Amino acid sequence: MTGVTFAGLYLYLNPKLPDVQSLRQVKLQTPLRIYSNDNRLIGEFGEQRRTPINYDEIPPLYIKALLSAEDAQFYDHNGVSIRGLLRAASQLLQTGQIQSGGSTITMQLARNFFLTFQQTFARKFNEILLALQIERELSKEEILALYNNKIYFGNRAYGIQAAANVYYGKNMDELTLPQWAMIAGLPKAPSAYNPLANPERALIRRNWILGRMLELGHIDQPTWKAATDAPATAKYHGLTPELYAPYVAEMARQDAISRFGNAAYTDGYSIYTTVNAHLQEVAQSAIIDGLITYDRRHGYRGPEQQLDPDASDEQWLETLKNIPTYGGLTPAVVSQTDQQSATLLLPDGSEAQLSWEQGLSEARPYLSENYRGEKPTQTSDVLSPGDVIRLRHTAEGAVLAQLPTAEAALVSLDPSDGAIVSLAGGFDFEQSHFNRVTQATRQPGSAFKPFIYTTALEHGYTPATIINDAPIVIEDASLEGTWRPENDGGSFLGPMRMRTALYRSRNLVSIRILRSLGMDTAHESLARFGFDKNALPRDLSLALGSHDVTPLDLARGYTTFANGGFAVQPYLIKRIEAVDGRDVFTATPATVCRDCDNKTPATPSEARTLEELLGEQANAPRANPLPPAKRILDAQTAFIADSMLRDVIARGTGKRARVLERGDIAGKTGTTNGPRDAWFAGYNPEIVTITWLGFDNNTPLGNREYGGSAALPIWIDYMRAALAEKPERAAQRPDGIITVRIDPETGKRAGPQDPDAVFEIFRVDNVPERAEGTDPGNGNQGAPEVLPEELF
């Protein structure tokens, strides 16, 4: 009767069983991982931590530990243990429930992939049938590999490799026998035998497994003794990125979701970004240093919180535990103050002393963005018991600090193809997820002027063109009636050369240039640099940078100055790798190829011999494997614009950057009304970097804050590292450019004896006329001739 019953159940259940072959194609849920360009882990996204491994990567001694714990007859049965089933049947008859299960490794695999964990007879019978099918269609090695990649080991770890990472911070092949035995004990009950939550029970389970290994002859007595005497060493090793770049990781995560949907979290994709790990660290550090320096200039705003000064240390510690560290600034509570020092309680329960020289003496109170109070004379002028303050840890020790209320951003691009080299979207991602590089649209101020000046160079202007820096009154309804623009400081310097106007950032000159060009011409030109033509304002405030842009927008525009006149698009994702190692995406950015201009392949038909043909092919210009970037500025215009921007650093508003002692850097400061935004946009031929500093709520920075004082120091700190091992690159003068001596007052060609003459560069077809009354030096009166002594 029993045989008939089982046969009936088999006929009823068998048609409903899943296809065992699907196990070979099963996708193990593996998290999304983000890496830098040099393969350092930036972030991991996904609920399940899993790192699948092959059977031959599983340590043999671990397999023996697992089989000793779960299924000692694994290699002898066909998927079902008769002894285990008899035990389960006995429990069913006695209690009406299946308690211990009697499951083999194969049966557990069947349950984990296809069935529920509900303890019912039908489920158990399905499990048996599936186990028999699995054993018929898969090898023992395949079964063990699938089991060890699928089973849950607690603490979000699925599979033995993830378990080794979580509990020991190592790969599976780096563990010891006691550690393998500890992991082997987890599948039976990941919570009950968890070495973190229940260390005593886990140790008992580990030692029982080691005893079983001894009993089954897998290890000898001395090995057993040493392993059971070994202390439990498991501790939580949560995901610790090798590189702190959370804004980059979030951008990559969003890209993955747009490509793959929610499968991005489970299908094991690895995204390799264009970010350089070292420069990313420098970028974040430069942002933090720059903001803290700016913040310190404006005074101490007082404690972050005020706790009950009579509360116990334990009460204070409870509060401290809930205050996060941002930007490396750790919280502390003032427990006692002396004349010129303070005693602090730290989050770990220890005490620290803050001396007068550790920030107290300079903590003048903040009054407004423009004013500070008097210097303190004693600690009580600054701190009181119960104050929650911040400490910044430096090489010289901890100093008094505070969380900046301003924010900053930095983005750096490779101008040859637009690759994002580094990106820092704010002071601390955990404090604010708002990415100011890509999401904050702000007015760039004078950092926008180079695009206007470059347009002028294309329409007949030269660096020597004289333009009047004088007051102007504009009647424009879009500017709310009468507009009287001013320069910084309210001064006007009269007629000046366009080169001088740019490096001295004269507003009125920029306005006059834009007015002469016309709005349509300007808009068409600006669109080439990547700015949205439809969003650009149609009034003369555009000349002063009134069009809102993100730092990334501005960086894209400046790549054209750095690369000699080409348009490239910023990109972050270099390639995406599937869990099986296949590349499912590889970036093919438009790339600058200066040597590709005007080159044509060799013509084999002209070769007279095989040797000549091979020689021509070897010497022929190689095809660029990536699509060529489009040239949007001719080489001569790009060269002249770059020359003018180098003068901003050599003698203009960016002169602080001369501390880098390089002649190949260029850029432009930017400051908006208020001032509310401080910018520096700068580059050399190999890297473009934009820095911005301001308040998210657009409040003023302070009367003495400019692009050169607030944003440029961040740029300098970053570029010092970015250019440290790069040789200086001189500008490559294109054909069609000459250097001429000119009169600095008139912009006209100077005579050879003019003591005040300066050199200037021009297109060959755009050399200025000689000033009236000057001696050409050879008796000729014709203007077009350029004398040898005038050439540089």
Side-chain angles (χ1 to χ4, degrees), residues 591-646:
T591 303
V592 174
C593 181
R594 296 183 181 89
D595 294 335
C596 296
D597 288 355
N598 304 317
K599 284 193 175 181
T600 57
T603 54
S605 62
E606 298 175 1
R608 293 182 297 276
T609 66
L610 177 61
E611 289 74 14
E612 288 182 11
L613 173 61
L614 294 175
E616 286 180 355
Q617 290 177 338
N619 295 320
R622 297 181 180 274
N624 187 9
L626 295 170
K630 179 182 178 182
R631 180 175 280 284
I632 61 171
L633 291 180
D634 62 73
Q636 294 76 23
T637 300
F639 179 81
I640 296 172
D642 172 66
S643 166
M644 294 169 68
L645 287 168
R646 291 187 185 213

Side-chain angles (χ1 to χ4, degrees), residues 523-524 526-527 530-538 547:
H523 281 202
E524 289 295 331
L526 293 170
F531 302 111
D532 183 357
K533 182 168 64 174
N534 296 321
L536 293 169
R538 296 197 64 84
H547 172 53

Side-chain angles (χ1 to χ4, degrees), residues 60-83:
L61 204 53
Y62 164 77
I63 292 177
K64 292 177 179 179
L66 175 68
L67 298 184
S68 298
E70 297 290 335
D71 190 353
Q73 284 77 44
F74 174 73
Y75 286 106
D76 300 323
H77 62 62
N78 61 354
V80 177
S81 169
I82 301 300
R83 183 184 303 172

